[in-house]
Amino acid sequence: TLGMSILDMACSGAHMMTTWPIPADMPEVYAANGNEASCKAQAFFIQLGIGSPFYNLCLSIYYYLFIVKNIRPGPVLERCMHWHAFR
């Protein structure tokens, strides 16, 4: 889905930066050219990556309830709105 793709792209972009955002005053880190703010920004986007497995979990629960348990979409979609942070 689009939500998982966006989270994966944000996390992958942060991982792609490798050590660049680490503060430059750390000589023991190769290619450290950033500052504290860039380091914190990278950490934020890496932490967004945890959202993708949870998003996948919510979709799996939805399909399980809809297909296996034969629960109509109305009640399930009501619960999904909480998962997607629409409320």
Side-chain angles (χ1 to χ4, degrees), residues 3 6 9-10 15-16 23-24 28 30 45 50 55 58 65-66 73 78-79 85:
I6 291 171
M9 287 186 336
H15 281 289
M16 183 182 70
E28 66 273 4
Y30 175 75
F45 285 107
I50 195 69
Y55 202 95
C58 293
L65 293 174
F66 186 68
E78 183 67 30
R79 292 184 195 124

Side-chain angles (χ1 to χ4, degrees), residues 9-85:
M9 287 186 336
C11 183
S12 295
H15 281 289
M16 183 182 70
M17 296 291 185
T18 63
T19 59
W20 292 344
I22 295 175
D25 60 353
M26 299 186 79
E28 66 273 4
V29 179
Y30 175 75
N33 292 322
N35 55 28
E36 189 174 338
S38 63
C39 189
K40 287 181 180 181
Q42 182 188 33
F44 172 77
F45 285 107
I46 288 175
Q47 288 301 311
L48 279 181
I50 195 69
S52 185
F54 284 119
Y55 202 95
N56 193 15
L57 172 70
C58 293
L59 287 175
S60 300
I61 292 171
Y62 170 78
Y63 288 122
Y64 172 76
L65 293 174
F66 186 68
I67 295 170
V68 176
K69 294 295 186 178
N70 201 20
I71 295 177
R72 295 179 357 158
V76 175
L77 285 178
E78 183 67 30
R79 292 184 195 124
C80 286
M81 293 302 169
H82 297 289
W83 296 338
H84 294 287

